[in-house]
Amino acid sequence: MATIRVGVTQRPSCRRTRRDGTMIRCILLLALCLAIAGNAIQVSRSSFSGEYGGGGGKRFSHSGNQLDGPITALRVRVNWLFIVGLQVRYGSQWSDYVGGSLGDLEEIFLHPGESVVQVSGKYKLYLRRLVFTTDRGRHFSFGKDTGTSFNATPLHSRTVLRYLSGRAGAVIDALGFHWDAYPGHCLRCEPGAGLGAGAGGSTGP
């Protein structure tokens, strides 16, 4: 007599279902941790150098100006001994002038996409010398080569000078340098915007 075998469809194991669910939760948790870690790494790319100089003068900061874009130009006023005044253009907008009015005003313009990656100089009670170095190998020097030396560079690679802070009165008493990643997008940073010498902003008294 022939034996008839009836096929039985096996149901998924409850143990396997629980194991798969646990694995999915672990993958989602890992993805969340990686996203949080990525944000933390991005935030940590900012760094600060300074302050270099003396303790006098009124405090100022360009932290709000950096929202206008990357640094695109600088104005530096110097006399026979000190760095007297300073003004920075962010995107196409000039910051307020800080410092005094006695001395010669010098002006430099960066090429589109060019950034300051090092600032060195000297100070003794007041700021006496500044040298800005860009990522394209250009150097811009202001002031006299006398006093205590400093050399400011970013802590993290692929970061640039984003804004300045410090103290100023009749001269520039002290400066600090804030570094971060080059801004990826800025509505007011179109190449050529306001590139004429003396465009925008008051150069002080």
Side-chain angles (χ1 to χ4, degrees):
M1 183 174 177
T3 302
I4 299 175
R5 295 182 178 179
V6 180
V8 179
T9 302
Q10 294 185 348
R11 296 181 178 180
S13 167
C14 292
R15 182 178 300 174
R16 178 178 297 177
T17 302
R18 287 195 297 269
R19 185 166 61 247
D20 291 345
T22 301
M23 183 176 295
I24 291 173
R25 286 194 295 272
C26 289
I27 292 173
L28 292 175
L29 181 60
L30 177 61
L32 178 62
C33 290
L34 289 175
I36 294 174
N39 289 334
I41 292 173
Q42 185 175 7
V43 171
S44 69
R45 287 172 64 81
S46 62
S47 59
F48 174 73
S49 305
E51 289 181 339
Y52 305 102
K58 182 179 179 181
R59 182 165 296 279
F60 71 91
S61 174
H62 292 172
S63 60
N65 298 91
Q66 66 172 323
L67 301 178
D68 290 323
I71 293 175
T72 56
L74 298 106
R75 291 169 176 160
V76 181
R77 190 183 298 277
V78 298
N79 64 14
W80 63 281
L81 191 57
F82 303 117
I83 303 295
V84 176
L86 183 69
Q87 190 174 24
V88 183
R89 193 179 68 182
Y90 297 87
S92 60
Q93 306 296 316
W94 285 98
S95 69
D96 291 335
Y97 178 88
V98 293
S101 59
L102 299 179
D104 299 322
L105 184 67
E106 302 180 33
E107 202 169 41
I108 62 171
F109 296 90
L110 302 184
H111 298 309
E114 185 178 21
S115 298
V116 174
V117 294
Q118 178 184 10
V119 185
S120 58
K122 294 194 174 183
Y123 66 92
K124 187 176 182 181
L125 296 180
Y126 309 105
L127 208 60
R128 298 196 171 194
R129 179 174 173 84
L130 283 173
V131 181
F132 296 92
T133 301
T134 77
D135 54 1
R136 299 189 184 180
R138 297 204 293 164
H139 306 273
F140 303 98
S141 176
F142 307 92
K144 303 300 180 182
D145 192 13
T146 180
T148 302
S149 299
F150 70 87
N151 184 45
T153 56
L155 181 62
H156 306 286
S157 62
R158 296 189 297 276
T159 56
V160 301
L161 183 62
R162 291 292 287 115
Y163 71 94
L164 306 180
S165 63
R167 294 188 302 276
V171 297
I172 301 298
D173 294 82
L175 278 183
F177 307 96
H178 301 258
W179 314 90
D180 208 337
Y182 189 90
H185 181 66
C186 175
L187 295 176
R188 292 188 284 184
C189 306
E190 295 84 358
L195 289 181
S202 170
T203 54

